[in-house]
Amino acid sequence: MSPDASAKPPAGEALAKIKSIVGDKGWSDAPDELAPWLTDRRGHYTGRCALMVRPSSTADIAAVMTVCNDYRIAVVPQGGNTSMCAAATPDKSGTEILFNLGRMNRIRNLDPLNYTVTAEAGCILQEIQRAAAEADRLFPLSLGAQGSCQIGGNLSTNAGGVNVLRYGNTRELVLGLEVVLPSGEVWNGLRRLRKDNTGYDMKHLFVGSEGTLGIITAAVLKLFPLPKDVQTCFAAVRDVDTVLELLARAREASGDAVTSFEMIGRFGVDLATAHIPGVADPLDKRYELYALIEFSGARADSGMAANMEAMLEGAFADGLVLDAAIAQSESQRRALWKLREGITEAQSVEGGSIKHDISVPVSAIPAFFRRATQAVVDYMPGIRPCSFGHVGDGNLHFNFSQPKPMDRKEFLAHWGEVNRIVHDIVVEMGGSISAEHGIGQLKRDELRHYKPALDLDLMRSIKAALDPKGIMNPGKML
Ligand code: FAD
Ligand code: MLT
Ligand code: ZN
């Protein structure tokens, strides 16, 4: 709900002030222009807004935020709208202002010797990756939505993706932030420093805050040497216990240069090959479980191919790996990743899917996987497990597709029950009910159910200190 339960649409004079600040190109209330931005990526939530603003400068954002603060108008920051938890979707009141950051997309600075890039929040992730590569550097954040998600959204959700094992989450990749606070003040924390111990590290309050504490307008991000030697394989593994043994061998064999270590089940491969054009099973025979593994080295002669072959030979000899394909070209490498990243879309084509984005300690993955799969299959015979994802980080996308004959809507009505079965096991094993996608609207009640009261109180105290009027993204997360 917006800050004031009896919220009325913003006063006409407030809207007039906002429109004059951003100019004609900086706002829209045309239903057809707003429509794509009012429904979440998964299509579960649709909201309304009083106005969508697309400001092009920090100064404009600060001026608009000042008006919203003065008139107590709720604000929903939005990047690429690829959130998996409807964290950027306005509520149904039609009283909120939707801030789309898409026009704040300049790269302000790229310093190869400092290994940093300073990018505005509306920069699409893929554009930052490209700018870094042109300077012979790597910006390592990489996820399936990189063609449309923006770095402001990545920071605000502390996005993970497929390279966390080597480079960490977005939180580990940021050195400084510029943020417009709910008051309209601009906090300039754009430090290009790797060391700065002068009080609380405020940037970390805003990373992962899902638009509830302020609007991120720019960030200083870490860069890395651009890998010159990348090797990728798709290996059929004996069982889920083997996957972890293989991860350990991969880390040793590569000299701890594993960039990605993804797990994919049989059903995920079948869905991707059935529903994603151009995707084929990389192996001739069918197996039950696979690992997609990538090594990378900064030197062309890092010897990653030999390291990967040695790892696979040993794993074959010990019966851990049953079959494997090593990409022989960039196009073969991309084909393997297209299979992995196509699973999400393939699942939605297949029908209803109840999803979990969980993490447990990496060593607990096999026990969790077996116990939680059995618990859900017992609850709904015929449900089809579709687990895949970043097993190297202990993070599984532990999804279930509907039993074939079942009605989609009737199946999805079990979302809460299935979530509770899975999340109870996750929490009992010391895991998290949201590894990388955040909370948004989708998991707000689950957060309240599982998070200790003191954690929630501390978060509410921080929220009250920074956003006393509660105008930032109401109804999300807390
Ligand atoms: P939005 O969806 O627009 O917003 C997300 C949240 O950030 C909202 O709370 C919004 O209010 C806030 N926000 C946005 N911009 C700002 C800003 N400038 N200042 C303050 N708050 C802001 N996520 C992962 O972590 N790992 C994955 O592997 C992954 N894979 C995905 C694959 C696909 C195919 C898709 C569709 C999504 C995937 N996601 C993944 C989820 C999603 O892409 C990420 O959460 C991403 O970081 C969201 O970025 P966005 O720009 O789309 O943000
Ligand atoms: C992924 O890793 O593909 C996503 O985080 C999973 C999803 O889209 O549900
Ligand atoms: Zn993911």
Side-chain angles (χ1 to χ4, degrees), residues 345-365:
E345 189 192 327
Q347 265 207 289
S348 61
V349 174
E350 180 70 13
S353 160
I354 295 177
K355 298 178 183 287
H356 307 84
D357 164 38
I358 64 96
S359 60
V360 291
V362 177
S363 51
I365 284 275

Side-chain angles (χ1 to χ4, degrees), residues 268-290:
V269 175
D270 288 341
L271 288 183
T273 49
H275 298 309
I276 308 295
V279 170
D281 188 331
L283 302 178
D284 298 336
K285 281 174 64 186
R286 289 169 61 82
Y287 299 92
E288 283 313 300
L289 202 57
Y290 301 88

Side-chain angles (χ1 to χ4, degrees), residues 216-294:
I216 296 169
T217 45
V220 178
L221 305 164
K222 291 178 190 170
L223 296 178
F224 296 81
L226 187 66
K228 303 287 190 308
D229 179 4
V230 178
Q231 297 298 327
T232 312
C233 73
F234 187 82
V237 293
R238 191 180 58 205
D239 56 30
V240 66
D241 295 286
T242 312
V243 169
L244 293 189
E245 168 61 25
L246 194 56
L247 172 60
R249 293 191 181 205
R251 295 192 71 162
E252 276 156 36
S254 64
D256 209 12
V258 182
T259 317
S260 302
F261 195 97
E262 300 283 307
M263 187 174 94
I264 304 170
R266 173 74 258 153
F267 188 44
V269 175
D270 288 341
L271 288 183
T273 49
H275 298 309
I276 308 295
V279 170
D281 188 331
L283 302 178
D284 298 336
K285 281 174 64 186
R286 289 169 61 82
Y287 299 92
E288 283 313 300
L289 202 57
Y290 301 88
L292 176 59
I293 308 169
E294 193 153 279

Side-chain angles (χ1 to χ4, degrees), residues 6 55 79 85 88 93 103 158-159 193 199 217 291 299 338 364 436 438 440 450 463:
S6 60
C85 304
S93 68
R103 290 178 68 210
N158 184 28
L193 305 173
T217 45
R299 295 164 48 117
K338 187 173 180 187
E436 58 178 11
Y450 289 107
K463 168 77 175 174

Side-chain angles (χ1 to χ4, degrees), residues 107 110-112 117 126-139 223-226 228:
I107 290 187
L110 194 154
D111 185 340
V117 58
Q126 203 158 272
E127 291 312 307
I128 298 175
Q129 294 168 346
R130 199 195 316 276
E134 279 163 14
D136 195 28
R137 295 290 181 267
L138 172 75
F139 181 61
L223 296 178
F224 296 81
L226 187 66
K228 303 287 190 308

Side-chain angles (χ1 to χ4, degrees), residues 72-318:
R72 266 190 115 95
I73 301 170
V75 160
V76 179
Q78 190 177 79
N81 196 27
T82 66
S83 164
M84 289 289 179
C85 304
T89 305
D91 67 19
K92 295 187 185 309
S93 68
T95 63
E96 298 176 307
I97 302 279
L98 186 61
F99 264 75
N100 191 299
L101 276 295
R103 290 178 68 210
M104 288 282 292
N105 60 0
R106 286 172 290 273
I107 290 187
R108 295 186 186 171
N109 170 280
L110 194 154
D111 185 340
L113 290 182
N114 196 43
Y115 281 83
T116 54
V117 58
T118 305
E120 292 187 338
C123 284
I124 292 185
L125 176 54
Q126 203 158 272
E127 291 312 307
I128 298 175
Q129 294 168 346
R130 199 195 316 276
E134 279 163 14
D136 195 28
R137 295 290 181 267
L138 172 75
F139 181 61
L141 183 64
S142 176
L143 48 129
Q146 60 197 20
S148 44
C149 64
Q150 298 173 8
I151 194 66
N154 299 145
L155 287 156
S156 208
T157 56
N158 184 28
V162 295
N163 292 339
V164 168
L165 183 57
R166 176 81 169 274
Y167 296 103
N169 289 300
T170 307
R171 186 178 299 282
E172 281 87 26
L173 300 173
V174 62
L175 290 174
L177 289 181
E178 177 186 79
V179 180
V180 173
L181 302 175
S183 61
E185 295 162 289
V186 179
W187 174 61
N188 181 356
L190 283 177
R191 299 276 178 284
R192 297 191 304 136
L193 305 173
R194 278 172 176 75
K195 290 187 167 177
D196 174 13
N197 264 343
T198 50
Y200 298 133
D201 194 341
M202 257 91 75
K203 65 177 176 291
H204 286 306
L205 281 177
F206 298 102
V207 176
S209 63
E210 297 187 36
T212 61
L213 298 180
I215 297 186
I216 296 169
T217 45
V220 178
L221 305 164
K222 291 178 190 170
L223 296 178
F224 296 81
L226 187 66
K228 303 287 190 308
D229 179 4
V230 178
Q231 297 298 327
T232 312
C233 73
F234 187 82
V237 293
R238 191 180 58 205
D239 56 30
V240 66
D241 295 286
T242 312
V243 169
L244 293 189
E245 168 61 25
L246 194 56
L247 172 60
R249 293 191 181 205
R251 295 192 71 162
E252 276 156 36
S254 64
D256 209 12
V258 182
T259 317
S260 302
F261 195 97
E262 300 283 307
M263 187 174 94
I264 304 170
R266 173 74 258 153
F267 188 44
V269 175
D270 288 341
L271 288 183
T273 49
H275 298 309
I276 308 295
V279 170
D281 188 331
L283 302 178
D284 298 336
K285 281 174 64 186
R286 289 169 61 82
Y287 299 92
E288 283 313 300
L289 202 57
Y290 301 88
L292 176 59
I293 308 169
E294 193 153 279
F295 292 177
S296 67
R299 295 164 48 117
D301 62 353
S302 299
M304 291 300 163
N307 294 345
M308 187 162 274
E309 278 156 24
M311 172 193 72
L312 289 172
E313 267 158 38
F316 266 118
D318 299 342

